[in-house]
Amino acid sequence: MERDIHEDCGVAMVRLLKPLGYYQQKYGTWMYGLNKLYLMMEKEHNRGQEGAGLASVKLNTEPGNEYMFRERAEGSNAITEIFGAAHKQIRQALEENGINEPNDYAELPFAGELYMGHLRYSTTGKSGIKYVHPFLRRNNWRAKNLCLCGNYNMTNVDEVFEHLTAQGQCPRIYSDSYIMLEFMGHRLDREVERNFVNAQQLALEGEKITKYIDEHVLMENVLKTTMDRFDGGYVVSGITGSGEMFAMRDPHGIRPAFYYYDEEVVVLASERPVLQTTFDLEYDDIKELPAGAALIVRSNGETAVKQILPSEDNYACSFERIYFSRGSDQSIYKERKKLGEQLTPQVLKTVDYDISHTVFSYIPNTAEVAYYGLLDGFKRYMNEQKIQKIESLGHIPTHEELQSILDDYVRSEKVAWKDIKLRTFITEGNARNDLVSHVYDITYGSVEPYQDNLVIIDDSIVRGTTLKESILHILDRLHPKKIVIVSSAPQIRYPDYYGIDMPRLEEFCAFRATIELLKDKRMYDVIQRVYNDCKAELKKDKTEMKNCVRDIYAPFSVDDINHKIVEMLRPNGMTTPIEIVFQSMEGLHSAIPEHQGDWYFTGHYPTPGGTKLCNQAFVNYVENVYQYEEKI
């Protein structure tokens, strides 16, 4: 129900392994690669709607001709804008030559063999075209040109910044993307210079030196001397002016990446279904990029997966599976259904096993698959009840008896509809709140007033803002006997620092509820002790730190916090009973066994940087929010 939680980014890459004329002859267009990149980015639009960019590299150009092209745009229509701009440049070049189709692609913009696309969701609050990927570092040496994009968030930008300045560099912008570009660009320069020396030793001159460098640059050397300094969750992708292409995944596999290659193309995307649909592939055709490894395509098209950093414990992000990734992935679909199905026993208790007077529905659309799983669980339960009733009759049932038993069914309805999108130009508090309360509408008559329980499943409950300001208020108009809000994810208690926009503790309704419980019980000493402990931890080397914020939750059970969440989120004047059901940690890992990244729920961060920032987040909360609230 949180529509403003952002996941960092989506990446897409295409490397054509044949000349452009090959695709013209086989597929009817030399723009095969550009068109496929467009489809991939549209299929990943869910991962970024604040901006988009594309880049292309043309191989084997003569000096004096452009070989790297880039377009970037902001806004939800950015994909359309960047591809429109690319096609406009192509049309203009064709018109200048007085032709409709090119015979020679040398001077045609975006007529390249390497394509890279990026979709952006900001997780830092920084906006503007200069923050839209891909980032480009120019140089007159073809192999030193670097274009970089990625799905990442780094927790130790300060440390890498200090390392760069200690080398004498002076980065123009303080952000993980620009610092990574400059750091990696610096190492790429050294790799090119290594090959330059080798070329001179071979007595090569002029363009033969350039050719030698282009053919001998090893991106694995650049990555090995760069990425070992970064702490975070990432898929870093790049292309160089000499035709090298790479995509590297972090050692814990936090952020996802999938690839496929054959004799015609090498492709990579943030999600498997993107490749399946765009290239008409089977599930097993596509491989997941291993943790700590890089997919590297040399300028000659040679393709390999190389282990750059040792893989660490599996912390592949579980929230990706619950919320962000496309539910059309066959594994994710099964996982989300199981998340819903596993909640059947808990939900049964909340409605006092009265299924005949319970209506099931879901909000928002991302919760639909978990909803189907919950229905499956209840259908199985109902079937068992029917079997027991038939067996208990002790005789062959009559038609009427069978009809009476079989008429029991699980009642599912489309209860809520997303009606409008709130426009932020309305800023006055009361007017804005009134609009928010009407974002959803309901199906009147879908619930029997004062008799039916209403069970609504969501993929996750993060801030609880939409529940309080819109959902509960609008559902109450149906006058249900009870409202049960079900989350297919456990309570989200801790910030994320690896690419999802959840960096502050005070945003989470579970954290706020816990603080209120501590206040209710006058356990202020717990808050002060955790604050002191966090400050003490921040004085240590980050590799030795422990997450002291976890101690805040220790005095209370999940149910204690649930009851407080309900109390805090209940709209003024609403009297309908409300219960909240959260997924258990055991249920999470049972449904999603291959993705052990659960720091949102447990506070067990995969890297030292995450632990450090969580401790700092609590210190910031106490100093900037808690103390202020206590004063007023």
Side-chain angles (χ1 to χ4, degrees), residues 252-283:
H252 291 285
I254 296 170
R255 301 267 73 89
F258 299 86
Y259 69 94
Y260 166 82
Y261 65 91
D262 56 25
E263 70 280 358
E264 292 184 351
V265 295
V266 183
V267 291
L268 179 136
S270 294
E271 300 189 36
R272 189 191 302 264
V274 172
L275 299 181
Q276 284 186 259
T277 302
T278 303
F279 294 92
D280 193 20
L281 300 171
E282 298 296 330
Y283 181 93

PDB file of all heavy atoms in Angstrom, residues 252-283:
ATOM      1  N   HIS A 252      27.486 -10.420  -2.239  1.00  0.00           N
ATOM      2  CA  HIS A 252      26.385 -11.064  -1.536  1.00  0.00           C
ATOM      3  C   HIS A 252      25.183 -11.317  -2.448  1.00  0.00           C
ATOM      4  O   HIS A 252      24.186 -11.889  -2.000  1.00  0.00           O
ATOM      5  CB  HIS A 252      25.937 -10.212  -0.344  1.00  0.00           C
ATOM      6  CG  HIS A 252      26.945 -10.145   0.762  1.00  0.00           C
ATOM      7  ND1 HIS A 252      27.173 -11.187   1.638  1.00  0.00           N
ATOM      8  CD2 HIS A 252      27.800  -9.155   1.128  1.00  0.00           C
ATOM      9  CE1 HIS A 252      28.105 -10.846   2.504  1.00  0.00           C
ATOM     10  NE2 HIS A 252      28.503  -9.626   2.219  1.00  0.00           N
ATOM     11  N   GLY A 253      25.257 -10.855  -3.686  1.00  0.00           N
ATOM     12  CA  GLY A 253      24.143 -11.039  -4.611  1.00  0.00           C
ATOM     13  C   GLY A 253      22.901 -10.276  -4.197  1.00  0.00           C
ATOM     14  O   GLY A 253      21.779 -10.722  -4.454  1.00  0.00           O
ATOM     15  N   ILE A 254      23.075  -9.120  -3.574  1.00  0.00           N
ATOM     16  CA  ILE A 254      21.944  -8.356  -3.049  1.00  0.00           C
ATOM     17  C   ILE A 254      21.020  -7.901  -4.168  1.00  0.00           C
ATOM     18  O   ILE A 254      19.811  -8.095  -4.125  1.00  0.00           O
ATOM     19  CB  ILE A 254      22.446  -7.150  -2.224  1.00  0.00           C
ATOM     20  CG1 ILE A 254      23.209  -7.637  -0.987  1.00  0.00           C
ATOM     21  CG2 ILE A 254      21.286  -6.244  -1.818  1.00  0.00           C
ATOM     22  CD1 ILE A 254      23.938  -6.540  -0.239  1.00  0.00           C
ATOM     23  N   ARG A 255      21.576  -7.288  -5.184  1.00  0.00           N
ATOM     24  CA  ARG A 255      20.791  -6.809  -6.319  1.00  0.00           C
ATOM     25  C   ARG A 255      20.843  -7.850  -7.439  1.00  0.00           C
ATOM     26  O   ARG A 255      21.859  -8.515  -7.630  1.00  0.00           O
ATOM     27  CB  ARG A 255      21.310  -5.463  -6.814  1.00  0.00           C
ATOM     28  CG  ARG A 255      21.277  -4.372  -5.759  1.00  0.00           C
ATOM     29  CD  ARG A 255      19.997  -3.551  -5.822  1.00  0.00           C
ATOM     30  NE  ARG A 255      18.825  -4.253  -5.336  1.00  0.00           N
ATOM     31  CZ  ARG A 255      18.420  -4.266  -4.074  1.00  0.00           C
ATOM     32  NH1 ARG A 255      19.112  -3.628  -3.162  1.00  0.00           N
ATOM     33  NH2 ARG A 255      17.341  -4.908  -3.714  1.00  0.00           N
ATOM     34  N   PRO A 256      19.763  -7.988  -8.223  1.00  0.00           N
ATOM     35  CA  PRO A 256      19.667  -9.083  -9.194  1.00  0.00           C
ATOM     36  C   PRO A 256      20.198  -8.730 -10.582  1.00  0.00           C
ATOM     37  O   PRO A 256      20.186  -7.565 -10.990  1.00  0.00           O
ATOM     38  CB  PRO A 256      18.151  -9.321  -9.265  1.00  0.00           C
ATOM     39  CG  PRO A 256      17.564  -7.960  -9.033  1.00  0.00           C
ATOM     40  CD  PRO A 256      18.485  -7.249  -8.071  1.00  0.00           C
ATOM     41  N   ALA A 257      20.618  -9.746 -11.317  1.00  0.00           N
ATOM     42  CA  ALA A 257      21.026  -9.588 -12.719  1.00  0.00           C
ATOM     43  C   ALA A 257      20.930 -10.944 -13.411  1.00  0.00           C
ATOM     44  O   ALA A 257      21.320 -11.979 -12.841  1.00  0.00           O
ATOM     45  CB  ALA A 257      22.442  -9.039 -12.817  1.00  0.00           C
ATOM     46  N   PHE A 258      20.434 -10.929 -14.652  1.00  0.00           N
ATOM     47  CA  PHE A 258      20.261 -12.147 -15.442  1.00  0.00           C
ATOM     48  C   PHE A 258      20.798 -11.917 -16.851  1.00  0.00           C
ATOM     49  O   PHE A 258      20.700 -10.804 -17.376  1.00  0.00           O
ATOM     50  CB  PHE A 258      18.779 -12.538 -15.503  1.00  0.00           C
ATOM     51  CG  PHE A 258      18.175 -12.815 -14.151  1.00  0.00           C
ATOM     52  CD1 PHE A 258      17.660 -11.786 -13.377  1.00  0.00           C
ATOM     53  CD2 PHE A 258      18.159 -14.110 -13.652  1.00  0.00           C
ATOM     54  CE1 PHE A 258      17.114 -12.037 -12.129  1.00  0.00           C
ATOM     55  CE2 PHE A 258      17.621 -14.377 -12.396  1.00  0.00           C
ATOM     56  CZ  PHE A 258      17.104 -13.338 -11.634  1.00  0.00           C
ATOM     57  N   TYR A 259      21.346 -12.975 -17.452  1.00  0.00           N
ATOM     58  CA  TYR A 259      21.950 -12.793 -18.769  1.00  0.00           C
ATOM     59  C   TYR A 259      21.674 -13.996 -19.675  1.00  0.00           C
ATOM     60  O   TYR A 259      21.302 -15.083 -19.218  1.00  0.00           O
ATOM     61  CB  TYR A 259      23.455 -12.572 -18.650  1.00  0.00           C
ATOM     62  CG  TYR A 259      24.234 -13.795 -18.199  1.00  0.00           C
ATOM     63  CD1 TYR A 259      24.821 -14.667 -19.128  1.00  0.00           C
ATOM     64  CD2 TYR A 259      24.392 -14.087 -16.840  1.00  0.00           C
ATOM     65  CE1 TYR A 259      25.524 -15.792 -18.710  1.00  0.00           C
ATOM     66  CE2 TYR A 259      25.086 -15.210 -16.423  1.00  0.00           C
ATOM     67  CZ  TYR A 259      25.651 -16.059 -17.370  1.00  0.00           C
ATOM     68  OH  TYR A 259      26.332 -17.180 -16.963  1.00  0.00           O
ATOM     69  N   TYR A 260      21.888 -13.753 -20.963  1.00  0.00           N
ATOM     70  CA  TYR A 260      21.738 -14.795 -21.981  1.00  0.00           C
ATOM     71  C   TYR A 260      22.649 -14.428 -23.140  1.00  0.00           C
ATOM     72  O   TYR A 260      22.834 -13.241 -23.446  1.00  0.00           O
ATOM     73  CB  TYR A 260      20.285 -14.860 -22.470  1.00  0.00           C
ATOM     74  CG  TYR A 260      20.115 -15.662 -23.739  1.00  0.00           C
ATOM     75  CD1 TYR A 260      20.018 -17.045 -23.711  1.00  0.00           C
ATOM     76  CD2 TYR A 260      20.054 -15.022 -24.983  1.00  0.00           C
ATOM     77  CE1 TYR A 260      19.876 -17.779 -24.880  1.00  0.00           C
ATOM     78  CE2 TYR A 260      19.904 -15.752 -26.152  1.00  0.00           C
ATOM     79  CZ  TYR A 260      19.816 -17.129 -26.096  1.00  0.00           C
ATOM     80  OH  TYR A 260      19.676 -17.850 -27.255  1.00  0.00           O
ATOM     81  N   TYR A 261      23.235 -15.444 -23.785  1.00  0.00           N
ATOM     82  CA  TYR A 261      23.954 -15.157 -25.027  1.00  0.00           C
ATOM     83  C   TYR A 261      23.922 -16.358 -25.956  1.00  0.00           C
ATOM     84  O   TYR A 261      23.802 -17.509 -25.540  1.00  0.00           O
ATOM     85  CB  TYR A 261      25.393 -14.704 -24.760  1.00  0.00           C
ATOM     86  CG  TYR A 261      26.315 -15.725 -24.125  1.00  0.00           C
ATOM     87  CD1 TYR A 261      27.095 -16.578 -24.911  1.00  0.00           C
ATOM     88  CD2 TYR A 261      26.449 -15.805 -22.741  1.00  0.00           C
ATOM     89  CE1 TYR A 261      27.963 -17.483 -24.335  1.00  0.00           C
ATOM     90  CE2 TYR A 261      27.306 -16.714 -22.151  1.00  0.00           C
ATOM     91  CZ  TYR A 261      28.066 -17.557 -22.958  1.00  0.00           C
ATOM     92  OH  TYR A 261      28.917 -18.459 -22.377  1.00  0.00           O
ATOM     93  N   ASP A 262      23.979 -16.043 -27.249  1.00  0.00           N
ATOM     94  CA  ASP A 262      24.082 -17.052 -28.299  1.00  0.00           C
ATOM     95  C   ASP A 262      25.030 -16.512 -29.355  1.00  0.00           C
ATOM     96  O   ASP A 262      25.845 -15.622 -29.062  1.00  0.00           O
ATOM     97  CB  ASP A 262      22.694 -17.411 -28.865  1.00  0.00           C
ATOM     98  CG  ASP A 262      21.931 -16.204 -29.392  1.00  0.00           C
ATOM     99  OD1 ASP A 262      22.585 -15.202 -29.776  1.00  0.00           O
ATOM    100  OD2 ASP A 262      20.684 -16.246 -29.427  1.00  0.00           O
ATOM    101  N   GLU A 263      24.928 -16.990 -30.580  1.00  0.00           N
ATOM    102  CA  GLU A 263      25.862 -16.554 -31.621  1.00  0.00           C
ATOM    103  C   GLU A 263      25.516 -15.171 -32.177  1.00  0.00           C
ATOM    104  O   GLU A 263      26.318 -14.573 -32.904  1.00  0.00           O
ATOM    105  CB  GLU A 263      25.899 -17.569 -32.779  1.00  0.00           C
ATOM    106  CG  GLU A 263      24.646 -17.633 -33.641  1.00  0.00           C
ATOM    107  CD  GLU A 263      23.547 -18.457 -33.002  1.00  0.00           C
ATOM    108  OE1 GLU A 263      23.768 -19.016 -31.901  1.00  0.00           O
ATOM    109  OE2 GLU A 263      22.464 -18.548 -33.614  1.00  0.00           O
ATOM    110  N   GLU A 264      24.344 -14.620 -31.798  1.00  0.00           N
ATOM    111  CA  GLU A 264      23.926 -13.325 -32.326  1.00  0.00           C
ATOM    112  C   GLU A 264      24.015 -12.188 -31.314  1.00  0.00           C
ATOM    113  O   GLU A 264      24.366 -11.065 -31.673  1.00  0.00           O
ATOM    114  CB  GLU A 264      22.470 -13.397 -32.818  1.00  0.00           C
ATOM    115  CG  GLU A 264      22.266 -14.259 -34.040  1.00  0.00           C
ATOM    116  CD  GLU A 264      20.828 -14.217 -34.525  1.00  0.00           C
ATOM    117  OE1 GLU A 264      19.961 -13.650 -33.816  1.00  0.00           O
ATOM    118  OE2 GLU A 264      20.564 -14.743 -35.614  1.00  0.00           O
ATOM    119  N   VAL A 265      23.682 -12.480 -30.065  1.00  0.00           N
ATOM    120  CA  VAL A 265      23.602 -11.413 -29.063  1.00  0.00           C
ATOM    121  C   VAL A 265      24.087 -11.884 -27.706  1.00  0.00           C
ATOM    122  O   VAL A 265      24.072 -13.081 -27.393  1.00  0.00           O
ATOM    123  CB  VAL A 265      22.153 -10.883 -28.892  1.00  0.00           C
ATOM    124  CG1 VAL A 265      21.661 -10.199 -30.145  1.00  0.00           C
ATOM    125  CG2 VAL A 265      21.217 -11.989 -28.448  1.00  0.00           C
ATOM    126  N   VAL A 266      24.496 -10.891 -26.896  1.00  0.00           N
ATOM    127  CA  VAL A 266      24.683 -11.070 -25.458  1.00  0.00           C
ATOM    128  C   VAL A 266      23.781 -10.029 -24.804  1.00  0.00           C
ATOM    129  O   VAL A 266      23.848  -8.844 -25.155  1.00  0.00           O
ATOM    130  CB  VAL A 266      26.134 -10.837 -25.019  1.00  0.00           C
ATOM    131  CG1 VAL A 266      26.290 -11.111 -23.528  1.00  0.00           C
ATOM    132  CG2 VAL A 266      27.091 -11.688 -25.826  1.00  0.00           C
ATOM    133  N   VAL A 267      22.930 -10.455 -23.878  1.00  0.00           N
ATOM    134  CA  VAL A 267      21.991  -9.524 -23.258  1.00  0.00           C
ATOM    135  C   VAL A 267      21.972  -9.729 -21.750  1.00  0.00           C
ATOM    136  O   VAL A 267      22.194 -10.835 -21.248  1.00  0.00           O
ATOM    137  CB  VAL A 267      20.562  -9.685 -23.826  1.00  0.00           C
ATOM    138  CG1 VAL A 267      20.523  -9.207 -25.271  1.00  0.00           C
ATOM    139  CG2 VAL A 267      20.083 -11.123 -23.737  1.00  0.00           C
ATOM    140  N   LEU A 268      21.677  -8.636 -21.041  1.00  0.00           N
ATOM    141  CA  LEU A 268      21.593  -8.676 -19.576  1.00  0.00           C
ATOM    142  C   LEU A 268      20.480  -7.738 -19.137  1.00  0.00           C
ATOM    143  O   LEU A 268      20.261  -6.683 -19.729  1.00  0.00           O
ATOM    144  CB  LEU A 268      22.919  -8.269 -18.949  1.00  0.00           C
ATOM    145  CG  LEU A 268      22.957  -8.234 -17.412  1.00  0.00           C
ATOM    146  CD1 LEU A 268      24.225  -8.881 -16.874  1.00  0.00           C
ATOM    147  CD2 LEU A 268      22.846  -6.788 -16.894  1.00  0.00           C
ATOM    148  N   ALA A 269      19.768  -8.133 -18.071  1.00  0.00           N
ATOM    149  CA  ALA A 269      18.696  -7.304 -17.517  1.00  0.00           C
ATOM    150  C   ALA A 269      18.574  -7.556 -16.025  1.00  0.00           C
ATOM    151  O   ALA A 269      19.102  -8.543 -15.493  1.00  0.00           O
ATOM    152  CB  ALA A 269      17.377  -7.595 -18.220  1.00  0.00           C
ATOM    153  N   SER A 270      17.835  -6.687 -15.358  1.00  0.00           N
ATOM    154  CA  SER A 270      17.642  -6.818 -13.912  1.00  0.00           C
ATOM    155  C   SER A 270      16.651  -7.909 -13.559  1.00  0.00           C
ATOM    156  O   SER A 270      16.611  -8.348 -12.410  1.00  0.00           O
ATOM    157  CB  SER A 270      17.160  -5.484 -13.318  1.00  0.00           C
ATOM    158  OG  SER A 270      18.152  -4.500 -13.430  1.00  0.00           O
ATOM    159  N   GLU A 271      15.832  -8.350 -14.541  1.00  0.00           N
ATOM    160  CA  GLU A 271      14.823  -9.365 -14.260  1.00  0.00           C
ATOM    161  C   GLU A 271      14.747 -10.384 -15.388  1.00  0.00           C
ATOM    162  O   GLU A 271      14.865 -10.029 -16.561  1.00  0.00           O
ATOM    163  CB  GLU A 271      13.457  -8.714 -14.033  1.00  0.00           C
ATOM    164  CG  GLU A 271      13.455  -7.742 -12.865  1.00  0.00           C
ATOM    165  CD  GLU A 271      12.056  -7.273 -12.499  1.00  0.00           C
ATOM    166  OE1 GLU A 271      11.122  -8.096 -12.597  1.00  0.00           O
ATOM    167  OE2 GLU A 271      11.914  -6.101 -12.132  1.00  0.00           O
ATOM    168  N   ARG A 272      14.543 -11.636 -15.012  1.00  0.00           N
ATOM    169  CA  ARG A 272      14.505 -12.735 -15.969  1.00  0.00           C
ATOM    170  C   ARG A 272      13.370 -12.604 -17.000  1.00  0.00           C
ATOM    171  O   ARG A 272      13.593 -12.809 -18.203  1.00  0.00           O
ATOM    172  CB  ARG A 272      14.388 -14.065 -15.223  1.00  0.00           C
ATOM    173  CG  ARG A 272      14.556 -15.282 -16.114  1.00  0.00           C
ATOM    174  CD  ARG A 272      14.155 -16.560 -15.371  1.00  0.00           C
ATOM    175  NE  ARG A 272      14.927 -16.753 -14.164  1.00  0.00           N
ATOM    176  CZ  ARG A 272      16.019 -17.509 -14.087  1.00  0.00           C
ATOM    177  NH1 ARG A 272      16.447 -18.158 -15.153  1.00  0.00           N
ATOM    178  NH2 ARG A 272      16.652 -17.654 -12.939  1.00  0.00           N
ATOM    179  N   PRO A 273      12.115 -12.283 -16.586  1.00  0.00           N
ATOM    180  CA  PRO A 273      11.032 -12.219 -17.573  1.00  0.00           C
ATOM    181  C   PRO A 273      11.271 -11.195 -18.675  1.00  0.00           C
ATOM    182  O   PRO A 273      10.729 -11.333 -19.778  1.00  0.00           O
ATOM    183  CB  PRO A 273       9.805 -11.844 -16.736  1.00  0.00           C
ATOM    184  CG  PRO A 273      10.137 -12.237 -15.348  1.00  0.00           C
ATOM    185  CD  PRO A 273      11.605 -12.046 -15.223  1.00  0.00           C
ATOM    186  N   VAL A 274      12.053 -10.160 -18.389  1.00  0.00           N
ATOM    187  CA  VAL A 274      12.370  -9.158 -19.403  1.00  0.00           C
ATOM    188  C   VAL A 274      13.074  -9.810 -20.587  1.00  0.00           C
ATOM    189  O   VAL A 274      12.748  -9.559 -21.748  1.00  0.00           O
ATOM    190  CB  VAL A 274      13.249  -8.052 -18.792  1.00  0.00           C
ATOM    191  CG1 VAL A 274      13.764  -7.101 -19.870  1.00  0.00           C
ATOM    192  CG2 VAL A 274      12.470  -7.284 -17.726  1.00  0.00           C
ATOM    193  N   LEU A 275      14.020 -10.685 -20.292  1.00  0.00           N
ATOM    194  CA  LEU A 275      14.749 -11.385 -21.353  1.00  0.00           C
ATOM    195  C   LEU A 275      13.874 -12.449 -22.001  1.00  0.00           C
ATOM    196  O   LEU A 275      13.929 -12.637 -23.223  1.00  0.00           O
ATOM    197  CB  LEU A 275      16.021 -12.017 -20.788  1.00  0.00           C
ATOM    198  CG  LEU A 275      17.041 -11.044 -20.176  1.00  0.00           C
ATOM    199  CD1 LEU A 275      18.270 -11.807 -19.682  1.00  0.00           C
ATOM    200  CD2 LEU A 275      17.470  -9.985 -21.193  1.00  0.00           C
ATOM    201  N   GLN A 276      13.088 -13.148 -21.202  1.00  0.00           N
ATOM    202  CA  GLN A 276      12.220 -14.184 -21.754  1.00  0.00           C
ATOM    203  C   GLN A 276      11.264 -13.608 -22.790  1.00  0.00           C
ATOM    204  O   GLN A 276      11.117 -14.147 -23.889  1.00  0.00           O
ATOM    205  CB  GLN A 276      11.407 -14.847 -20.638  1.00  0.00           C
ATOM    206  CG  GLN A 276      12.186 -15.818 -19.790  1.00  0.00           C
ATOM    207  CD  GLN A 276      11.283 -16.537 -18.800  1.00  0.00           C
ATOM    208  OE1 GLN A 276      11.229 -16.196 -17.624  1.00  0.00           O
ATOM    209  NE2 GLN A 276      10.558 -17.526 -19.286  1.00  0.00           N
ATOM    210  N   THR A 277      10.620 -12.506 -22.443  1.00  0.00           N
ATOM    211  CA  THR A 277       9.622 -11.923 -23.338  1.00  0.00           C
ATOM    212  C   THR A 277      10.270 -11.252 -24.541  1.00  0.00           C
ATOM    213  O   THR A 277       9.841 -11.453 -25.685  1.00  0.00           O
ATOM    214  CB  THR A 277       8.765 -10.897 -22.574  1.00  0.00           C
ATOM    215  OG1 THR A 277       8.142 -11.547 -21.465  1.00  0.00           O
ATOM    216  CG2 THR A 277       7.700 -10.310 -23.474  1.00  0.00           C
ATOM    217  N   THR A 278      11.315 -10.465 -24.302  1.00  0.00           N
ATOM    218  CA  THR A 278      11.935  -9.693 -25.388  1.00  0.00           C
ATOM    219  C   THR A 278      12.579 -10.583 -26.429  1.00  0.00           C
ATOM    220  O   THR A 278      12.509 -10.299 -27.630  1.00  0.00           O
ATOM    221  CB  THR A 278      12.974  -8.720 -24.813  1.00  0.00           C
ATOM    222  OG1 THR A 278      12.347  -7.869 -23.845  1.00  0.00           O
ATOM    223  CG2 THR A 278      13.583  -7.866 -25.912  1.00  0.00           C
ATOM    224  N   PHE A 279      13.183 -11.690 -25.987  1.00  0.00           N
ATOM    225  CA  PHE A 279      13.924 -12.542 -26.917  1.00  0.00           C
ATOM    226  C   PHE A 279      13.284 -13.916 -27.103  1.00  0.00           C
ATOM    227  O   PHE A 279      13.897 -14.801 -27.695  1.00  0.00           O
ATOM    228  CB  PHE A 279      15.378 -12.689 -26.439  1.00  0.00           C
ATOM    229  CG  PHE A 279      16.143 -11.399 -26.485  1.00  0.00           C
ATOM    230  CD1 PHE A 279      16.206 -10.569 -25.372  1.00  0.00           C
ATOM    231  CD2 PHE A 279      16.769 -10.994 -27.649  1.00  0.00           C
ATOM    232  CE1 PHE A 279      16.889  -9.369 -25.412  1.00  0.00           C
ATOM    233  CE2 PHE A 279      17.467  -9.795 -27.710  1.00  0.00           C
ATOM    234  CZ  PHE A 279      17.531  -8.970 -26.586  1.00  0.00           C
ATOM    235  N   ASP A 280      12.065 -14.092 -26.593  1.00  0.00           N
ATOM    236  CA  ASP A 280      11.310 -15.327 -26.766  1.00  0.00           C
ATOM    237  C   ASP A 280      12.118 -16.531 -26.282  1.00  0.00           C
ATOM    238  O   ASP A 280      12.372 -17.493 -27.013  1.00  0.00           O
ATOM    239  CB  ASP A 280      10.913 -15.516 -28.239  1.00  0.00           C
ATOM    240  CG  ASP A 280       9.861 -16.620 -28.416  1.00  0.00           C
ATOM    241  OD1 ASP A 280       9.183 -16.954 -27.426  1.00  0.00           O
ATOM    242  OD2 ASP A 280       9.745 -17.152 -29.537  1.00  0.00           O
ATOM    243  N   LEU A 281      12.516 -16.467 -25.015  1.00  0.00           N
ATOM    244  CA  LEU A 281      13.376 -17.490 -24.436  1.00  0.00           C
ATOM    245  C   LEU A 281      12.622 -18.305 -23.394  1.00  0.00           C
ATOM    246  O   LEU A 281      11.622 -17.860 -22.829  1.00  0.00           O
ATOM    247  CB  LEU A 281      14.594 -16.835 -23.773  1.00  0.00           C
ATOM    248  CG  LEU A 281      15.496 -16.004 -24.686  1.00  0.00           C
ATOM    249  CD1 LEU A 281      16.526 -15.244 -23.861  1.00  0.00           C
ATOM    250  CD2 LEU A 281      16.189 -16.890 -25.731  1.00  0.00           C
ATOM    251  N   GLU A 282      13.117 -19.486 -23.115  1.00  0.00           N
ATOM    252  CA  GLU A 282      12.600 -20.311 -22.034  1.00  0.00           C
ATOM    253  C   GLU A 282      13.290 -19.932 -20.721  1.00  0.00           C
ATOM    254  O   GLU A 282      14.384 -19.356 -20.719  1.00  0.00           O
ATOM    255  CB  GLU A 282      12.824 -21.797 -22.335  1.00  0.00           C
ATOM    256  CG  GLU A 282      12.104 -22.304 -23.578  1.00  0.00           C
ATOM    257  CD  GLU A 282      10.594 -22.233 -23.454  1.00  0.00           C
ATOM    258  OE1 GLU A 282      10.091 -22.351 -22.309  1.00  0.00           O
ATOM    259  OE2 GLU A 282       9.920 -22.039 -24.483  1.00  0.00           O
ATOM    260  N   TYR A 283      12.657 -20.280 -19.629  1.00  0.00           N
ATOM    261  CA  TYR A 283      13.173 -19.949 -18.297  1.00  0.00           C
ATOM    262  C   TYR A 283      14.612 -20.428 -18.130  1.00  0.00           C
ATOM    263  O   TYR A 283      15.487 -19.680 -17.661  1.00  0.00           O
ATOM    264  CB  TYR A 283      12.268 -20.579 -17.243  1.00  0.00           C
ATOM    265  CG  TYR A 283      12.669 -20.305 -15.808  1.00  0.00           C
ATOM    266  CD1 TYR A 283      12.123 -19.226 -15.121  1.00  0.00           C
ATOM    267  CD2 TYR A 283      13.554 -21.133 -15.131  1.00  0.00           C
ATOM    268  CE1 TYR A 283      12.455 -18.968 -13.799  1.00  0.00           C
ATOM    269  CE2 TYR A 283      13.905 -20.886 -13.816  1.00  0.00           C
ATOM    270  CZ  TYR A 283      13.354 -19.804 -13.154  1.00  0.00           C
ATOM    271  OH  TYR A 283      13.708 -19.559 -11.847  1.00  0.00           O
TER     272      TYR A 283
END
